[in-house]
């Protein structure tokens, strides 16, 4: 009965957002890091009732295929009421109203029974205001991307535009990657292994503080209250990338994240 907004978005996704967008802490101490995370969450632009449908999408998975095998829809799962409106997918577009991130959109999504199991943060850099390669017909270059993959294989991946060797001006996307397990030669611990160790050591850095919890609930409560008054809910096929309606959150269909 919890749904993806309560179960994953309110805590996991908003914590990822705060880690990516927060200002650098004055020191690597638990409370100094958590201070900056709280500041960031308090800077998230409030969602007005009229903006919820333009900023949030919810959906349930229907019967489909995962790894080539048929799987039931959410309403066909054992113990799920036939009229359940519990969402298994949430996508959102948020803004952070501070000097650094003013009018920069942050896209967040989480879902069950999707095409692949993946946890990552993707940063899309702004396009340059003017291309120095216009005379060569290269006016619009693809954006540079920085990707932090958290699961299933930890690493960092950078894609940028570079000139190919040679006399001609030929630009292409260059991929650079750092696989943690390959580089450091160790198997990364599971998430709860790390948290249990931190708990025994008394390290609170990765644990959410009460003021951060309150700030995150202030972000999602208007959405929960709005959804509680609605009966309609989108659907998507199990094994797919989520409902197509999520693409309405992007500026245009060419950047639809359902294709990522």
């Amino acid at each position: 009965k919890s749904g993806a907004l309560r179960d994953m978005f309110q805590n996991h996704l908003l914590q990822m957002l705060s880690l990516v967008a927060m200002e650098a802490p004055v020191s690597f101490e638990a409370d100094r890091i958590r201070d900056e995370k709280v500041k960031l969450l308090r800077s998230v632009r409030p969602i007005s009732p009229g903006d919820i449908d333009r900023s949030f999408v919810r959906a349930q998975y229907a019967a489909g295929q995962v790894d080539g095998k048929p799987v039931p829809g959410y309403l066909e799962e054992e113990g799920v009421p036939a009229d359940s409106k519990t969402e298994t997918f949430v996508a959102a577009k948020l803004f952070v109203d501070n000097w650094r991130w003013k009018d920069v959109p942050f896209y967040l999504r989480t879902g069950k029974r999707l095409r692949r199991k993946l946890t990552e943060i993707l940063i899309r850099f702004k396009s340059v205001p003017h291309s120095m390669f216009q005379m060569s017909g290269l006016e619009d270059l693809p954006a540079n991307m920085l990707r932090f993959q958290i699961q299933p294989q930890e690493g960092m991946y950078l894609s940028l535009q570079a000139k190919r060797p040679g006399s001609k001006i030929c630009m292409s996307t260059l991929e650079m990657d750092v696989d943690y397990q390959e580089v450091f030669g160790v198997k990364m611990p599971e998430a709860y292994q790390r948290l249990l160790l931190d708990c025994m050591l008394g390290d609170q850095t990765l644990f959410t503080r009460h003021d951060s919890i309150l700030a995150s609930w202030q972000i999602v409560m208007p959405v929960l209250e709005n959804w509680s008054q609605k009966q309609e809910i989108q659907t998507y096929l199990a094994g797919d990338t989520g409902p197509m309606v999520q693409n309405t959150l992007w500026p245009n269909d060419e950047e639809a994240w359902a294709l990522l």
Side-chain angles (χ1 to χ4, degrees):
K1 296 181 181 180
S2 295
L5 191 67
R6 288 186 179 93
D7 181 42
M8 291 295 295
F9 191 94
Q10 175 271 331
N11 41 42
H12 292 71
L13 267 66
L14 289 182
Q15 287 299 306
M16 291 292 106
L17 169 64
S18 63
L19 283 168
V20 169
M22 72 180 190
E23 296 296 328
V26 296
S27 65
F28 198 69
E29 298 177 40
D31 271 331
R32 301 296 77 80
I33 293 172
R34 296 193 291 180
D35 287 344
E36 297 302 329
K37 290 167 70 176
V38 172
K39 288 180 186 177
L40 191 284
L41 291 174
R42 289 173 175 168
S43 300
V44 173
R45 185 180 299 174
I47 308 295
S48 65
D51 289 334
I52 289 175
D53 289 342
R54 291 190 293 268
S55 303
F56 278 81
V57 168
R58 66 169 178 165
Q60 281 180 353
Y61 65 83
Q65 289 192 345
V66 176
D67 296 330
K69 299 179 181 179
V71 295
Y74 179 69
L75 297 181
E76 299 160 358
E77 300 280 10
E78 184 178 352
V80 176
D83 60 348
S84 174
K85 296 298 183 291
T86 300
E87 76 280 357
T88 62
F89 177 96
V90 171
K93 176 171 67 175
L94 299 179
F95 291 92
V96 177
D97 287 339
N98 59 20
W99 281 25
R100 183 184 298 277
W101 301 115
K102 182 68 174 178
D103 292 331
V104 174
F106 288 82
Y107 299 96
L108 299 88
R109 67 173 174 176
T110 180
K112 297 183 182 296
R113 292 284 199 197
L114 297 178
R115 181 172 297 172
R116 55 179 177 157
K117 185 177 179 62
L118 179 68
T119 303
E120 70 174 12
I121 297 167
L122 179 65
I123 298 172
R124 181 179 185 272
F125 292 95
K126 291 182 178 179
S127 300
V128 295
H130 172 74
S131 172
M132 65 178 71
F133 303 107
Q134 284 184 337
M135 298 298 293
S136 302
L138 301 173
E139 184 172 357
D140 297 319
L141 296 175
N144 295 335
M145 302 277 198
L146 177 61
R147 182 161 54 94
F148 299 98
Q149 189 171 120
I150 301 167
Q151 288 180 340
Q153 197 166 346
E154 294 86 347
M156 293 186 292
Y157 308 88
L158 176 65
S159 63
L160 49 85
Q161 306 310 307
K163 179 185 175 299
R164 292 183 179 181
S167 59
K168 295 183 178 180
I169 299 180
C170 297
M171 303 291 290
S172 62
T173 301
L174 176 66
E175 300 283 352
M176 306 174 68
D177 65 86
V178 177
D179 184 297
Y180 277 26
Q181 186 166 330
E182 181 179 327
V183 171
F184 297 109
V186 295
K187 184 178 180 180
M188 302 299 290
E190 296 291 333
Y192 286 106
Q193 284 181 294
R194 174 68 186 274
L195 288 177
L196 286 170
L197 177 60
D198 287 349
C199 184
M200 289 186 284
L201 295 175
D203 184 349
Q204 300 182 40
T205 305
L206 298 178
F207 291 84
T208 309
R209 204 168 60 189
H210 71 281
D211 48 357
S212 180
I213 295 173
L214 291 174
S216 63
W217 278 112
Q218 287 175 345
I219 295 171
V220 303
M221 279 308 298
V223 183
L224 287 170
E225 292 170 357
N226 179 276
W227 286 353
S228 67
Q229 301 171 13
K230 294 183 177 180
Q231 294 299 314
E232 70 276 5
I233 186 170
Q234 300 288 331
T235 60
Y236 61 98
L237 296 179
D240 206 344
T241 56
M244 292 303 296
V245 69
Q246 67 182 304
N247 297 344
T248 61
L249 301 177
W250 283 75
N252 56 67
D253 287 338
E254 294 177 3
E255 296 175 330
W257 59 5
L259 303 178
L260 294 177

